[in-house]
Amino acid sequence: MLETIRQKVRRGERLTFDDGVALFHEPDLLAVGQLANEVREKLHGDRTYFNRNMRVEVTNVCVASCLFCSFAKLEEHMPGAHTMTLEEAWKALEDRKDDPPTEVHVVNGLHPGLPFSYYEELLAGYKRIDPKVHLKCFTGVEIHFFAQHYKMTYREVLERLRAAGLDSLPGGGAEIFDEDVRKRISHDKATADEYLEVHRVAHGMGMRTNVTMLYGHIETFAHRVDHILRVRALQDETKGFQAFIPLAFHPDGNGMKNLPAPTAVDDLRTLAVSRLLLDNVDHLKAYWVSLTPDVAQIALRFGADDIDGTIVHETIYKAAGTSSPGALRYDDLVRLIREAGRTPIERDTLYNVVREHEKASAPEASMKVKDRVRPGGKRSLEVVS
Amino acid sequence: MSPLRVIGVEYLNARPLWESMRAESMRAESGAPASSGGAASTSGGRISGAPGSIAPIELRLAPPSELARALAEDEADVGLLPVAAAATMGELRLLRNMAIGARGKVRSVAIVAERPIHELDAIALDLSSRTSVVLTRLLLARRKLAPKLFGASPAAAVASIGDRTGALIIGDPALDLEDRYPHRLDLAEDWFEWTQLPFVFAAWFARPDAVSREQEDLFRIAKQKGLARVDQIAAEHAARSGLSEASLRAYLTESIRYDLGDEELAGLQRFWQEGAKAGLLPAATPSFEEPRVASSRPSLDTLLSRAADGERLSGADGVRLLREGSFFELGLAADAVRRRKHPKGVVTYIVDRNVNYTNVCTTSCRFCAFYRPVGHPEGYVLSREVLGQKLKEVVDAGGVQILLQGGLNPDLRIEWYEDLFRWMKKEYGLGLHALSPEEIIHLSRLEGISVRRVLERLNAAGLDSVPGGGAEILVDRVRRKIAKTKCTSSEWLDVMRVAHHMGLRSSATMMYGTIDTPEERVQHLVKIRDLQDETGGFTAFFCWDYQHESGTHLAPGDNGTHLYLRMQAVARLMLDNVDHVGASWVTQGPAVGQVALRFGADDFGSVMFEENVVSSAGTTFRIGAEAIEKRIHDAGFKATRRNVRYDWLTEPA
Ligand code: SF4
Ligand code: SF4
């Protein structure tokens, strides 16, 4: 089976639903990874993208109650519920004056009590602070909610937000498209068709978007393949997706805390199969916050060509118990990519090159260290160069 | 011009090849005026060619086992290397026309016994020459004989000769005992009978690009001068050793041949081939050309498929794989080796606990954030109550073993350990995997008794096996830099050697990523493999990268998980004689540990733990048996619990 698929991939032939399921069941993990790596290297060589971004979650109040969500609070007065004032939200960017991000990424709960103008002002304010910053805000689920809540069409919502400064949509909220699974894990928000329709409309307006997949909970491999193929189908139609981002389910503090989180081999395989199935989406992102930097590094050999950004203030995965640090410094990301033998490329949201770094000459080149005595007599070696 | 560093052996039969080099330098050192001009005149205590054009030669003598190490660790450029060691290193250039060999009888390398060889149950091997040991194995295999082979010092080998036990003896003892035993198998003679080819024991081997053609002439001149003095050499040796001068002269002029012509080269080639076929040596071809440009150098693909098939790799092969081998190809090859060694698809783990009984340590290793100096307020020695509590928890959790390690605390005497071990064994009955070589050496120094004695006493008190910690990188350049006061590489290996010979098992470890080069990492693996050839006492190998204290463990420059996986794969490929490779999830994290199961590991290490030496350096991962088994299953394996000898304790599921 794998051999047939390998031949197809090498001929540039499109893989089928059955091929996708077979890849998930293939015992030889490394062979699947190697094939995905071939495709990745054909598309991007060693180039590996990251950006300087900033995450803002202005409110975690949400009318929906997705089973997997450890982030949202149903109502404003509940403990832990928080909605930023506009000033607070803007300050997050102002505070980054010395190290300005190229992108602000806003994702929120579905707050029933805010006026639409709140969101418009939010965007406009960010553009006032930094007219060049790219605003990648509001998932398809939020756009759908806005349309319902404020009685507008998707197009009207998107046009008003664009007028206020919106540049593109993030890929969150896709979860799993399969209707049965979706009903069980997030029954009261945008359906698969509604979510995809939002993206279709955005693409039609010339807006680029990303798309995610939440895996490792109650879905089957077939559901994952189905999800990926629905992305592929819309992409055939619109060409508007920039990146596909598989997100691992993390079980802490949510309605599925009895499920174990997916393990690393599942993470890597899901990335690899996504790369092999999605022949029409340029980029595959290994979201390091979800994977941990260690696994993200390996993921760069399993099809991924992007590891997201420096991210400051991530709270969604934090709430679900990831062991990843909340932010990686710019240099950490560069090093992480170089250690995997890849070339780090700082990009903007639309994948324009901001800065091209050099590839490490030899991955095992020896570093220089110096002895360091710390308070309390502890000693350690410190990297000098 | 920096001198050419030449290293020779003090054996009688090697003397003619290097003696004139030393004579020249001695003369210069004693103040004789250095003449100038002309090839091979003295200059600054060294042989040199025309001044300014050829680097002078600096000669040093060492035991044969030291030669390969010095060449591998770049302390010498040219060595009179035993041919087995040369194959093991790989990528060396052979100097033309000079060797130590024999066509037929050699007299100085023989198996002696009271009975004919096919009636022997056992043979004691003088391990000072690996070449002779490999040759012995080949000759025995050819006769379909399988006596028990065991290593011994030269004197012990002779002493162990008995009714059905023979001995492989080498050098002076062999010449001395020439007519003492009724049965004698001269190895070179037997080789000739088999192959009709001469046998080459040693030759000058040079590191790549180290020796120019002009310099090579100096070696030939030295040989001519040496051969002209054979009579004196024999006379001097006779005076020193008490052997007959006439016999020695005959030995040097008739038995030993110093040429390396086509026939000898064919003999050498044949020996390497037979060694590779038997899995005793890496596949190698002797070459007078610079090895890295030679078209005979195998492609990376060839190397990888050879490695996957379980062929022995040379050190040079290992370095190439580590530098150039791609992530997936290394992983797939290591996975293939894992599958061949453990075809049932089972991954083991052990339920045990790491207890650090004291953090007081007189050694201040630079990477260690765990220790406290003597007298420090944070220093501790665990009390019986605390230890008892910990051990009880292990027993309650179904644990089978305690891994007991600590700092080098001068207040704890051997009796303290003996009492502790007896008490632990009696009260809790757990396996005792205790005291790394560093601690054993510390005890031997503290008590003024031998390492063997320390191990015997601890073993009698309940010690079951020795953890392989503290190996770091078994190359002294690195050890001196990162752990100045720690034991040397050979001390570490010696503790393991003694422990293995006593029947204790141990693990082997490697901590890379401080200041070590790829060459040094591979050198480390080769040293473990060599000792394993000798003792078979290592059960498993674990490696991890240096853990940085502060913040994320991305901080050290060169220790990505990408490298960890490649490093472990190369270790699996190099260590063809070590059964198990363990994923070091405690240091690398459970996620990377899981992926490592696809890069050659067949063991997931320990489940309950308290790894202070690592956790003080900023990395802590805690995870239970259920989560470990899920990871093993997701990676496509069955899981089972094991003991320290890797016996399965449960049906794999
Ligand atoms: S996942 Fe999004 S829509 Fe669902 S509850 Fe959480 S914030 Fe609300
Ligand atoms: S690593 Fe061991 S020997 Fe070195 S300082 Fe730490 S406790 Fe002492």
Side-chain angles (χ1 to χ4, degrees):
Chain A
M1 188 70 199
L2 186 66
E3 197 40 47
T4 330
I5 295 177
R6 185 180 287 131
Q7 295 312 326
K8 276 192 180 178
V9 168
R10 292 198 174 142
R11 282 196 303 269
E13 224 174 276
R14 190 161 256 208
L15 299 186
T16 63
F17 179 87
D18 289 344
D19 293 336
V21 174
L23 285 169
F24 271 112
H25 286 109
E26 166 59 45
D28 195 344
L29 173 77
L30 295 195
V32 176
Q34 196 178 29
L35 194 57
N37 191 46
E38 259 178 44
V39 173
R40 182 253 201 245
E41 289 185 354
K42 213 158 153 202
L43 286 170
H44 305 290
D46 274 332
R47 298 165 75 82
T48 298
Y49 299 92
F50 69 101
N51 71 348
R52 246 179 237 266
N53 61 351
M54 184 182 104
R55 270 294 276 265
V56 185
E57 283 111 29
V58 292
T59 179
N60 63 355
V61 174
C62 184
V63 295
S65 30
C66 303
L67 266 189
F68 54 83
C69 182
S70 324
F71 160 77
K73 305 288 169 207
L74 256 183
E75 289 168 46
E76 189 66 72
H77 56 80
M78 289 176 133
H82 183 68
T83 301
M84 290 181 180
T85 62
L86 287 169
E87 287 69 27
E88 281 169 343
W90 292 331
K91 186 164 180 301
L93 181 59
E94 275 162 351
D95 286 350
R96 292 276 305 264
K97 274 261 154 61
D98 295 337
D99 173 27
T102 57
E103 166 189 299
V104 175
H105 178 174
V106 178
V107 180
N108 306 309
L110 311 177
H111 196 300
L114 293 168
F116 190 65
S117 58
Y118 173 91
Y119 300 103
E120 290 174 307
E121 281 174 46
L122 178 74
L123 297 173
Y126 281 139
K127 287 284 183 184
R128 260 198 312 280
I129 296 164
D130 180 357
K132 287 197 306 294
V133 77
H134 183 105
L135 299 180
K136 185 176 85 181
C137 309
F138 316 121
T139 64
V141 170
E142 290 171 82
I143 302 294
H144 169 78
F145 171 77
F146 294 158
Q148 275 190 327
H149 198 67
Y150 305 109
K151 314 242 172 335
M152 289 184 270
T153 64
Y154 295 155
R155 198 177 183 94
E156 284 163 356
V157 172
L158 288 168
E159 263 166 6
R160 280 181 62 178
L161 293 173
R162 179 149 78 174
L166 181 69
D167 294 300
S168 67
L169 297 187
E175 325 312 0
I176 283 284
F177 290 144
D178 177 81
E179 279 72 18
D180 289 338
V181 176
R182 199 172 183 86
K183 243 178 250 150
R184 288 170 61 199
I185 63 170
S186 33
H187 62 98
D188 51 358
K189 71 179 182 194
T191 63
D193 286 345
E194 289 162 345
Y195 176 94
L196 288 168
E197 182 59 23
V198 171
H199 284 265
R200 182 180 282 112
V201 172
H203 295 170
M205 293 165 56
M207 220 181 243
R208 308 302 303 270
T209 73
N210 290 338
V211 55
T212 60
M213 168 172 81
L214 185 77
Y215 65 92
H217 40 89
I218 58 166
E219 89 294 356
T220 62
F221 289 145
H223 293 137
R224 295 188 201 177
V225 174
D226 167 68
H227 183 101
I228 297 167
L229 294 190
R230 292 202 211 186
V231 170
R232 190 171 77 181
L234 179 57
Q235 180 74 341
D236 275 346
E237 198 184 315
T238 64
K239 304 272 177 296
F241 288 126
Q242 299 195 101
F244 181 68
I245 312 160
L247 298 174
F249 159 73
H250 280 249
D252 287 5
N254 57 43
M256 295 193 282
K257 54 179 167 294
N258 296 327
L259 287 180
T263 57
V265 295
D266 195 10
D267 295 331
L268 295 172
R269 185 189 293 270
T270 304
L271 281 162
V273 179
S274 304
R275 182 64 283 167
L276 291 169
L277 288 175
L278 283 176
D279 54 2
N280 56 1
V281 176
D282 282 348
H283 300 285
L284 178 68
K285 193 184 279 189
Y287 187 49
W288 67 258
V289 179
S290 138
L291 293 172
T292 75
D294 285 342
V295 178
Q297 193 169 48
I298 306 171
L300 299 184
R301 298 272 155 188
F302 278 76
D305 64 285
D306 190 324
I307 53 168
D308 206 72
T310 46
I311 307 195
V312 175
H313 297 316
E314 205 282 338
T315 55
I316 293 176
Y317 266 99
K318 270 260 120 61
T322 172
S323 56
S324 283
L328 286 182
R329 286 170 307 155
Y330 188 92
D331 293 348
D332 290 333
L333 281 178
V334 170
R335 184 185 288 139
L336 185 147
I337 295 168
R338 291 175 65 156
E339 281 178 353
R342 300 297 199 196
T343 309
I345 313 270
E346 185 193 344
R347 60 165 174 86
D348 65 13
T349 312
L350 301 172
Y351 287 87
N352 300 306
V353 175
V354 175
R355 181 171 166 201
E356 184 153 353
H357 292 263
E358 259 172 55
K359 185 181 173 173
S361 50
E364 302 87 5
S366 227
M367 63 177 181
K368 292 200 169 51
V369 286
K370 78 167 193 269
D371 195 9
R372 189 172 55 133
V373 180
R374 296 166 63 79
K378 288 189 182 184
R379 308 169 70 168
S380 66
L381 293 176
E382 191 166 69
V383 184
V384 180
S385 61
Chain B
M1 203 177 304
S2 59
L4 189 67
R5 300 159 304 169
V6 176
I7 183 162
V9 273
E10 204 140 6
Y11 285 174
L12 165 68
N13 61 20
R15 262 192 130 76
L17 291 184
W18 53 254
E19 204 188 46
S20 76
M21 296 181 191
R22 194 174 65 163
E24 302 271 350
S25 37
M26 277 177 0
R27 199 174 336 134
E29 275 154 20
S30 63
S35 59
S36 66
S41 63
T42 57
S43 151
R46 303 146 177 159
I47 294 191
S48 77
S53 64
I54 305 176
I57 283 176
E58 200 174 70
L59 176 74
R60 160 161 94 89
L61 298 176
S65 59
E66 167 72 5
L67 253 59
R69 192 204 60 74
L71 274 185
E73 293 174 20
D74 198 8
E75 290 170 15
D77 301 306
V78 188
L80 193 50
L81 211 55
V83 295
T88 301
M89 274 187 71
E91 301 214 336
L92 295 173
R93 179 161 90 79
L94 195 48
L95 303 197
R96 279 168 218 270
N97 274 328
M98 291 163 286
I100 300 169
R103 192 173 192 282
K105 239 190 191 110
V106 64
R107 293 175 54 201
S108 58
V109 183
I111 296 170
V112 294
E114 301 285 1
R115 289 168 178 270
I117 184 155
H118 59 268
E119 291 178 17
L120 298 178
D121 294 335
I123 297 176
L125 303 175
D126 173 347
L127 294 174
S128 59
S129 161
R130 236 163 61 86
T131 300
S132 303
V133 172
V134 172
L135 180 56
T136 301
R137 288 181 194 274
L138 292 177
L139 295 175
L140 289 172
R142 176 185 165 240
R143 291 160 184 258
K144 306 212 170 7
L145 297 176
K148 181 173 165 296
L149 302 178
F150 63 97
S153 67
V158 174
S160 57
I161 297 173
D163 180 31
R164 287 182 173 276
T165 301
L168 168 67
I169 53 176
I170 296 166
D172 281 2
L175 293 170
D176 192 19
L177 300 178
E178 212 159 3
D179 303 313
R180 174 87 140 278
Y181 295 94
H183 295 277
R184 181 180 176 97
L185 185 77
D186 185 300
L187 296 198
E189 187 179 30
D190 203 43
W191 170 262
F192 186 76
E193 200 189 296
W194 176 16
T195 62
Q196 299 300 305
L197 290 168
F199 190 83
V200 175
F201 286 93
W204 288 117
F205 286 92
R207 286 171 65 90
D209 302 318
V211 183
S212 66
R213 295 285 177 214
E214 289 81 4
Q215 286 170 323
E216 207 175 321
D217 286 339
L218 301 183
F219 287 81
R220 266 195 292 281
I221 291 163
K223 170 183 158 186
Q224 281 159 15
K225 289 188 176 179
L227 288 179
R229 281 191 77 250
V230 157
D231 290 353
Q232 286 102 301
I233 292 175
E236 282 164 27
H237 195 74
R240 254 199 310 269
S241 65
L243 296 170
S244 127
E245 187 181 330
S247 155
L248 289 174
R249 198 183 309 121
Y251 171 64
L252 291 179
T253 51
E254 290 158 29
S255 305
I256 297 290
R257 292 158 60 100
Y258 291 97
D259 294 334
L260 184 53
D262 290 347
E263 257 205 311
E264 284 80 11
L265 202 60
L268 172 54
Q269 166 106 39
R270 177 74 184 272
F271 175 64
W272 282 358
Q273 269 169 4
E274 296 291 341
K277 245 197 268 170
L280 300 168
L281 296 175
T285 316
S287 166
F288 298 125
E289 304 303 323
E290 286 298 346
R292 287 183 195 160
V293 294
S295 52
S296 63
R297 192 179 177 182
S299 74
L300 215 54
D301 283 351
T302 315
L303 260 191
L304 279 160
S305 59
R306 272 198 206 155
D309 291 345
E311 278 185 37
R312 178 155 280 205
L313 298 179
S314 70
D317 295 339
V319 171
R320 271 184 78 200
L321 291 181
L322 192 53
R323 281 189 186 282
E324 300 163 33
S326 88
F327 181 76
F328 284 109
E329 276 160 2
L330 288 175
L332 287 163
D335 199 40
V337 171
R338 194 264 314 146
R339 208 174 317 125
R340 199 160 23 74
K341 285 193 179 276
H342 308 285
K344 295 197 176 127
V346 173
V347 167
T348 50
Y349 68 93
I350 188 165
V351 181
D352 72 351
R353 179 168 205 169
N354 186 359
V355 176
N356 294 121
Y357 57 92
T358 181
N359 67 346
V360 174
C361 188
T362 51
T363 303
S364 30
C365 302
R366 302 171 84 181
F367 56 84
C368 179
F370 159 75
Y371 85 94
R372 295 293 178 274
V374 178
H376 192 280
E378 288 169 23
Y380 71 76
V381 176
L382 293 187
S383 66
R384 287 268 164 104
E385 291 71 60
V386 175
L387 268 171
Q389 183 56 35
K390 286 180 188 290
L391 298 190
K392 190 173 165 309
E393 284 166 22
V394 177
V395 174
D396 291 350
V400 296
Q401 170 181 287
I402 275 293
L403 165 55
L404 193 72
Q405 298 187 103
L408 312 182
N409 187 336
D411 294 337
L412 304 179
R413 306 296 299 252
I414 191 161
E415 291 78 16
W416 184 87
Y417 291 91
E418 287 173 317
D419 290 349
L420 181 75
F421 286 11
R422 288 208 177 88
W423 169 76
M424 284 168 69
K425 272 288 176 192
K426 184 160 144 277
E427 297 292 319
Y428 302 95
L430 294 162
L432 199 51
H433 189 47
L435 307 194
S436 63
E438 192 69 45
E439 292 165 87
I440 308 275
I441 291 169
H442 162 76
L443 273 178
S444 119
R445 290 194 186 131
L446 190 70
E447 302 294 339
I449 56 179
S450 69
V451 161
R452 169 176 297 277
R453 192 69 204 119
V454 171
L455 283 166
E456 277 166 0
R457 285 179 62 174
L458 296 176
N459 193 10
L463 178 69
D464 293 306
S465 55
V466 180
E472 327 308 4
I473 291 286
L474 292 170
V475 172
D476 289 330
R477 182 194 79 86
V478 178
R479 300 179 75 76
R480 276 194 300 269
K481 287 242 168 68
I482 65 171
K484 253 198 304 278
T485 45
K486 269 204 166 175
C487 62
T488 63
S489 313
S490 51
E491 284 173 327
W492 191 96
L493 290 162
D494 277 341
V495 173
M496 290 307 194
R497 180 176 286 115
V498 172
H500 293 172
H501 281 316
M502 284 171 56
L504 291 167
R505 290 287 159 267
S506 75
S507 51
T509 65
M510 160 166 156
M511 182 188 82
Y512 65 90
T514 55
I515 56 162
D516 41 298
T517 62
E519 284 77 5
E520 287 165 336
R521 293 170 196 173
V522 170
Q523 188 54 27
H524 177 97
L525 298 175
V526 169
K527 286 184 181 182
I528 288 172
R529 188 174 72 181
D530 283 350
L531 182 57
Q532 181 75 342
D533 270 349
E534 191 183 318
T535 67
F538 288 119
T539 49
F541 173 84
F542 293 82
C543 65
W544 57 86
D545 58 15
Y546 163 65
Q547 299 287 306
H548 196 66
E549 184 178 355
S550 60
T552 74
H553 55 287
L554 292 174
D558 174 38
N559 291 325
T561 50
H562 187 252
L563 173 61
Y564 167 71
L565 294 171
R566 291 175 69 251
M567 186 68 240
Q568 185 192 280
V570 171
R572 178 64 287 177
L573 297 176
M574 288 295 293
L575 296 176
D576 52 6
N577 54 4
V578 175
D579 282 346
H580 302 279
V581 167
S584 188
W585 72 267
V586 176
T587 52
Q588 308 302 313
V592 177
Q594 184 194 29
V595 181
L597 297 179
R598 286 282 159 199
F599 282 76
D602 64 287
D603 182 73
F604 214 71
S606 131
V607 166
M608 257 179 59
F609 68 93
E610 187 168 324
E611 207 345 348
N612 278 329
V613 174
V614 173
S615 60
S616 304
T619 323
T620 31
F621 294 103
R622 283 177 182 275
I623 151 175
E626 203 184 321
I628 292 267
E629 291 200 357
K630 174 167 170 53
R631 284 179 169 78
I632 293 173
H633 293 150
D634 281 6
F637 301 100
K638 288 183 180 160
T640 184
R641 295 189 180 183
R642 64 161 171 92
N643 61 18
V644 73
R645 288 182 180 247
Y646 289 77
D647 305 321
W648 293 353
L649 302 178
T650 53
E651 197 49 43

